[in-house]
Amino acid sequence: MRRVALTRREFALGLGAAAAAAGAPAAFAWRSEDQGAAPAKHAGLIRLNFNENPYGPGAKVAAAMTRSEGEAMRYPDAEYAELQKEIAALHKVAPERVILGFGSTEILRVADAAFLGGDKNVVAAAPTFEAVLDYARVMRAAPVRVPLTLDARHDLPVMAAQCSSKTGVVYVCNPNNPTGTIVTRKEMQQFFDQVPKTTMILMDEAYHHFVDSPNYASATEWLDKLPNLVVARTFSKVYGLAGMRIGYGIGDKDVIAAMREQLLQDNNSSAGIAAARVALQDQAHVAECRSRINGTRAWLTKQLKGLGCKVTDSQANFLMVDMGSDVGPIIAEFRKRGILVGRKFPSMPTWLRVTIGTQEETAAFFAAFRGIYCGGNVCVAA
Ligand SMILES: Cc1ncc(COP(=O)(O)O)c(C=O)c1O
C-alpha cells in the first residue's frame, strides 16, 4: 500500500483543526516558543531561550552515552531499575516511591492524568511553567490561576485558599519559571498545613540545584509526612541533559503507583539512563556548573541593575528584566542580533526572560541589551 507522506507540519495542522473542532487545545502554550525550528535554523545563534545548561554534561557522562551504543538493541529494563534505586538512595526513600519520566514533563503529565479525572480543577500561579495547565486542559480540568505577588513570587496563602474538594492538583514551581523566584521554607510549611489532604501537591523543583538562598528548602524534606505530595526533578537543567529526556518524581507509594499507570511503557532510552546514572555520581560537575552559572547570574543582575532596570530576584539559571514596554518586538530585535531569548509571558508582558548562558554568551546578551534598552527607553531600531 502506498503511504501518503505528510510533513510533520501538515500532520500537526490537520490534528490541530480536528482538536479545535472537538474543543481541545490546538497547541501547548509553552511549546510554541519556536520549538519546531530545525537545528540548522539555530546554528550560530546564542540560545538563551529554554533555560538549558550551556556547559552540557561532563566528560564521564558523555563517555557513558557513547558506551551505551553497544546496548542499543536491548530494552534497558535492568538499567531502568538501577537508576530508580539510585535515585531512591539519593533521596532516602524506597524505590517504589520513585517514578521515572520522559523528562519531568512526563511526570507533570501523569500527575494530571492520575488526579484530574471527573470534575476536578487545578490551581497554579500566573505566570508559571505551563505544562501542568496544558495537560489539565486535555483532561478538561478547569484552571484556577493565582497571580504572583508584587515581588513576582507565588502567593501561597491565596493558592491554598483556592484549593477545595474539587481541586485535584495544586502546582508549585520552586524556583518558579519564568521568574526564578522561590517560596521559602516557612511559606511552604504554612501552605502544606492549609492545603486539603484530598488535593495532590505537585512541587516542581526543576531548578533546585541553582538555589543559594538560605531561606529555601526542598519539598523532599516533607515527603515522609505528606502522602499528598509529589516532588518532580529533572536531568535537563544542572545535569545538562535536556536532550536525553529524563526526569523523575518522588511521592507516596500508592500515589506513585497511580501515576505509573499513566506512563508510557518503556519510556526511557538506554543512552538517557546511562547518562543519568553517571550524572548522579558526578556531583563535581554539578557543583562546577552551579558555580559558573550562578556567578554569571550575579554578574548579569548587577549589570542590569546598574542601568536602573528592575530584575526578578532569581534563584534559577534565568532571570526576568522589565523592559518597560511589550517584549514582543524586543524578542524579535534580539533575534536579529543573533540571540534567542524567552517567549513573552502574557501576564508579565513587559518582562523579558533570559537564560544564563556561558559568561561569553551572557556578555553578548548584555551588549545587545544596551543597544536595545537605551537608558531606560526601549529604542528598538526599525
Ligand atoms: C519548571 C519546569 N519544569 C519542568 C520542565 C520540563 O523539563 P524536562 O521535561 O526537560 O525535564 C521545565 C522545562 O523547561 C521547567 O522549566
Side-chain angles (χ1 to χ4, degrees):
M1 192 177 79
R2 186 176 163 270
R3 293 176 62 188
V4 179
L6 288 180
T7 65
R8 282 178 61 177
R9 185 171 154 72
E10 286 162 345
F11 183 66
L13 287 174
L15 276 187
F28 290 158
W30 70 280
R31 303 301 295 175
S32 62
E33 302 178 42
D34 200 9
Q35 288 249 359
K41 199 171 158 196
H42 284 162
L45 297 178
I46 295 179
R47 296 163 69 161
L48 306 181
N49 52 342
F50 289 152
N51 305 338
E52 295 152 348
N53 174 352
Y55 301 106
K60 291 178 196 161
V61 171
M65 284 191 273
T66 306
R67 275 199 308 276
S68 77
E69 190 186 328
E71 292 297 312
M73 75 294 256
R74 309 282 175 210
Y75 288 102
D77 294 16
E79 294 79 3
Y80 189 97
E82 287 307 309
L83 176 59
Q84 208 168 330
K85 276 192 223 153
E86 285 155 6
I87 291 170
L90 176 72
H91 293 287
K92 303 186 174 55
V93 296
E96 60 264 32
R97 296 184 63 187
V98 174
I99 180 172
L100 300 184
F102 191 67
S104 57
T105 301
E106 191 182 20
I107 302 302
L108 307 184
R109 189 185 69 75
V110 299
D112 277 2
F115 306 117
L116 290 181
D119 200 17
K120 296 288 187 187
N121 67 29
V122 55
V123 174
T128 193
F129 187 63
E130 292 286 327
V132 159
L133 292 146
D134 289 333
Y135 290 120
R137 276 207 304 278
V138 175
M139 297 294 298
R140 305 283 194 274
V144 179
R145 308 294 308 256
V146 176
L148 297 180
T149 57
L150 288 178
D151 56 352
R153 294 171 353 94
H154 277 73
D155 197 338
L156 288 188
V158 175
M159 289 180 73
Q162 288 291 342
C163 292
S164 67
S165 56
K166 285 188 70 176
T167 306
V169 173
V170 57
Y171 172 72
V172 179
C173 187
N174 192 30
N176 188 38
N177 181 3
T179 54
T181 48
I182 57 163
V183 301
T184 65
R185 168 192 296 274
K186 202 167 145 209
E187 290 164 340
M188 214 171 0
Q189 179 64 69
Q190 285 164 355
F191 176 72
F192 291 157
D193 290 344
Q194 285 163 8
V195 173
K197 299 292 167 239
T198 47
T199 295
M200 195 54 59
I201 304 170
L202 181 54
M203 298 291 302
D204 185 341
E205 297 187 350
Y207 301 99
H208 160 82
H209 293 90
F210 299 107
V211 180
D212 46 28
S213 163
N215 298 326
Y216 169 85
S218 165
T220 53
E221 285 183 30
W222 280 265
L223 277 169
D224 287 339
K225 294 180 214 132
L226 284 179
N228 58 326
L229 171 67
V230 171
V231 181
R233 293 274 185 96
T234 182
F235 286 90
S236 297
K237 305 301 175 180
V238 84
Y239 292 106
L241 289 169
M244 287 289 108
R245 313 302 307 125
I246 298 219
Y248 62 93
I250 321 168
D252 171 78
K253 176 167 77 56
D254 296 333
V255 163
I256 293 297
M259 288 170 65
R260 192 169 282 124
E261 286 182 4
Q262 304 292 338
L263 280 183
L264 175 74
Q265 291 179 15
D266 296 315
N267 62 343
N268 291 116
S269 69
S270 317
I273 293 170
R277 292 187 65 195
V278 177
L280 276 183
Q281 304 307 318
D282 194 1
Q283 287 300 319
H285 184 70
V286 169
E288 170 80 20
C289 290
R290 177 182 28 229
S291 146
R292 286 189 189 206
I293 290 168
N294 286 3
T296 303
R297 179 181 76 201
W299 176 84
L300 180 61
T301 302
K302 193 167 164 214
Q303 304 306 312
L304 293 170
K305 286 190 171 169
L307 294 182
C309 299
K310 281 194 268 173
V311 180
T312 54
D313 186 11
S314 176
Q315 290 283 295
N317 65 337
F318 53 87
L319 55 75
M320 280 186 124
V321 51
D322 190 359
M323 303 300 290
S325 72
D326 180 19
V327 292
I330 295 170
I331 291 168
E333 202 59 32
F334 274 104
R335 194 180 177 119
K336 276 193 221 156
R337 290 162 163 79
I339 299 171
L340 302 177
V341 291
R343 70 173 169 94
K344 175 170 159 182
F345 291 85
S347 55
M348 292 179 79
T350 65
W351 290 76
L352 183 75
R353 190 193 69 191
V354 58
T355 302
I356 307 300
T358 63
Q359 182 62 34
E360 294 69 31
E361 288 171 338
T362 309
F365 163 80
F366 185 62
F369 185 94
R370 290 175 69 111
I372 292 169
Y373 183 91
C374 355
N377 297 312
V378 178
C379 323
V380 174

